[in-house]
């Protein structure tokens, strides 16, 4: 295999060649320098020095410009926005550097995607386990308590019956909350009835518990998505509505699912206080990581007092 000189040796040898040529020119050519240099001699030296510097600058610029490009890209690259690669030069050590940098980004993005997929799969499995425990254990236990309270209330004296009724209502409310949490953890309606029904149920639950009206728009004839993509769409809508309930102080929310070109687009908009988007929270980062698993992208727009719009674009299967 032929020896490939490093960048150091290329710069060193080029400077050496330039200086050797300059030295040989002074030694072998009629040009000379007097003790008291004449104007013509100063002119010759100036021109020679300028040519040496020019040749050195041309080579260094060609060799080191890719280094500057890599340094600038490293300061701005975002793994949550993959696909940005540097154009490779035609040759030289700069091309090797850019090629190695692009390969490094490929490996990092692949490893991050794999680790995110494993983490989110484990998270979904844990959600399902907790939802099952809530439904089978806690829910059934509270149901038994309700039945027992009903029997006790029927046999209790009148002065205690009213208080027992209040306790029953509290237990019933707690049971309803547990069932709601279980549905949020494990969206059975998504598995049984599909994405459209799951989004409708999600919006209805949100309106019932937050008091904020949700206007739903689902386009007809949307292409079928993979089960993983449907789960991503549902979770992003769920997280967006949760953020509205916690932070937006909105009066109206719009949830839409449409098709735009080769993508299915989910939008959740509100007329709340808005955000400047300068400090994305863990919820937004989680949405972006989920979207990357199915080749999608999440963007957040809005501003203080202008509301917020969360937009998820998922590619349509070919």
């Amino acid at each position: 295999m032929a020896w490939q000189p490093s960048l150091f040796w290329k710069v060193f040898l080029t400077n050496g060649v330039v200086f050797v040529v300059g030295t040989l020119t002074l030694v072998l050519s009629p040009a000379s320098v007097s003790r008291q240099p004449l104007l013509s001699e100063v002119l010759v030296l100036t021109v020679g020095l300028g040519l040496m510097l020019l040749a050195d600058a041309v080579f260094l610029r060609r060799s080191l410009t890719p280094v500057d490009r890599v340094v600038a890209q490293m300061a701005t690259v975002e793994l949550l926005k993959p696909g940005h690669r540097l154009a490779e030069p035609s040759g030289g050590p700069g091309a090797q550097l850019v090629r190695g940098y692009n390969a490094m980004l490929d490996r990092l993005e692949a490893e991050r995607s794999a680790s995110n997929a494993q983490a989110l799969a484990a998270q979904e499995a844990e959600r399902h386990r907790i939802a099952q425990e809530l439904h089978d254990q806690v829910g059934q236990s509270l149901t038994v308590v309700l039945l027992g309270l009903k029997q006790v209330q029927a046999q209790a004296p009148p002065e205690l019956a009213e208080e027992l009724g209040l306790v029953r209502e509290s237990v019933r409310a707690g049971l309803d909350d547990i069932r709601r949490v279980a549905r949020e953890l494990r969206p059975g309606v998504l598995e049984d009835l599909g994405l459209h029904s799951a989004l409708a149920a999600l919006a209805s639950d949100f309106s019932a518990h937050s008091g904020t009206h949700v206007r739903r728009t689902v386009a007809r004839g949307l292409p079928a998505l993979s089960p993983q993509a449907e789960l991503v769409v549902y979770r992003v809508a769920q997280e967006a509505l949760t953020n509205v309930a916690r932070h937006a102080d909105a009066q109206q929310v719009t949830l839409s699912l449409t098709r735009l070109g080769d993508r299915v687009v989910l939008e959740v908009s509100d007329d709340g206080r808005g955000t400047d988007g300068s400090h994305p929270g863990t919820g937004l980062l989680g949405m972006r990581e989920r979207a990357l698993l199915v080749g999608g992208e999440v963007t957040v727009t809005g501003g203080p007092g202008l509301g917020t719009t969360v937009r998820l674009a998922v590619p349509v299967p070919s």
Side-chain angles (χ1 to χ4, degrees), residues 7-311:
L7 183 60
F8 165 78
W9 281 109
K10 290 205 171 195
V11 174
F12 176 76
L13 292 177
T14 300
N15 289 338
V17 169
V18 172
F19 293 142
V20 168
V21 170
T23 301
L24 292 178
T25 300
L26 290 176
V27 172
L28 301 179
S29 69
S32 61
V33 180
S34 305
R35 287 185 177 180
Q36 297 181 351
L38 301 175
L39 180 60
S40 59
E41 295 173 341
V42 172
L43 182 61
V44 170
L45 290 176
T46 302
V47 172
L49 179 61
L51 292 176
M52 292 170 61
L53 292 176
L54 179 62
D56 200 29
V58 168
F59 175 79
L60 291 179
R61 181 177 181 83
R62 184 171 179 270
S63 299
L64 298 182
T65 294
V67 177
D68 294 333
R69 290 170 54 203
V70 169
V71 171
Q73 178 80 353
M74 290 175 65
T76 59
V77 66
E78 294 185 36
L79 293 181
L80 289 180
K81 297 180 179 179
H84 299 286
R85 298 293 184 269
L86 292 174
E88 296 184 9
S90 57
Q96 298 175 10
L97 175 65
V98 172
R99 190 158 47 246
Y101 175 73
N102 289 340
M104 180 192 68
L105 285 182
D106 291 338
R107 292 194 303 272
L108 287 176
E109 291 178 1
E111 292 173 1
R112 183 183 180 90
S113 178
S115 62
N116 286 344
Q118 294 175 357
L120 292 176
Q123 184 184 77
E124 288 297 327
E126 186 66 10
R127 284 172 179 259
H128 284 204
R129 186 190 67 81
I130 295 174
Q132 195 72 25
E133 291 289 335
L134 289 174
H135 182 272
D136 294 343
Q137 299 297 328
V138 182
Q140 291 183 5
S141 298
L142 288 179
T143 301
V144 172
V145 172
L146 274 177
L147 295 176
L149 286 173
K150 182 179 180 180
Q151 294 178 358
V152 172
Q153 184 181 11
Q155 301 174 3
E159 61 269 16
L160 294 178
E162 184 177 355
E163 294 184 9
L164 288 174
L166 295 177
V167 174
R168 284 184 59 197
E169 290 302 321
S170 298
V171 174
R172 182 178 288 107
L175 182 59
D176 291 340
D177 289 337
I178 287 176
R179 288 171 176 169
R180 176 180 56 83
V181 172
R183 287 196 306 270
E184 292 176 354
L185 289 173
R186 185 176 184 268
V189 65
L190 177 62
E191 301 174 0
D192 299 335
L193 301 179
L195 180 60
H196 299 180
S197 299
L199 291 178
L202 181 64
S204 298
D205 288 344
F206 173 82
S207 298
H209 289 88
S210 67
T212 304
H213 176 67
V214 178
R215 185 177 62 188
R216 300 191 307 271
T217 302
V218 178
R220 295 184 177 181
L222 290 176
L225 299 175
S226 65
Q228 188 179 24
E230 288 188 346
L231 181 60
V232 168
V233 172
Y234 180 85
R235 290 300 187 197
V236 169
Q238 186 180 48
E239 182 65 30
L241 290 176
T242 300
N243 289 339
V244 171
R246 290 178 178 175
H247 311 295
D249 192 22
Q251 301 300 318
Q252 185 169 347
V253 180
T254 300
L255 187 153
S256 65
L257 188 66
T258 57
R259 178 171 182 171
L260 185 61
D262 61 346
R263 291 179 176 264
V264 172
V265 178
L266 168 76
E267 282 193 355
V268 180
S269 304
D270 66 77
D271 59 354
R273 64 185 62 177
T275 177
D276 56 6
S278 58
H279 300 287
T282 55
L284 176 58
L285 295 178
M287 286 189 284
R288 286 177 173 171
E289 289 176 351
R290 284 183 179 277
L292 285 178
L293 296 179
V294 293
E297 182 180 6
V298 172
T299 57
V300 179
T301 57
L306 301 177
T308 304
T309 298
V310 177
R311 184 176 186 270

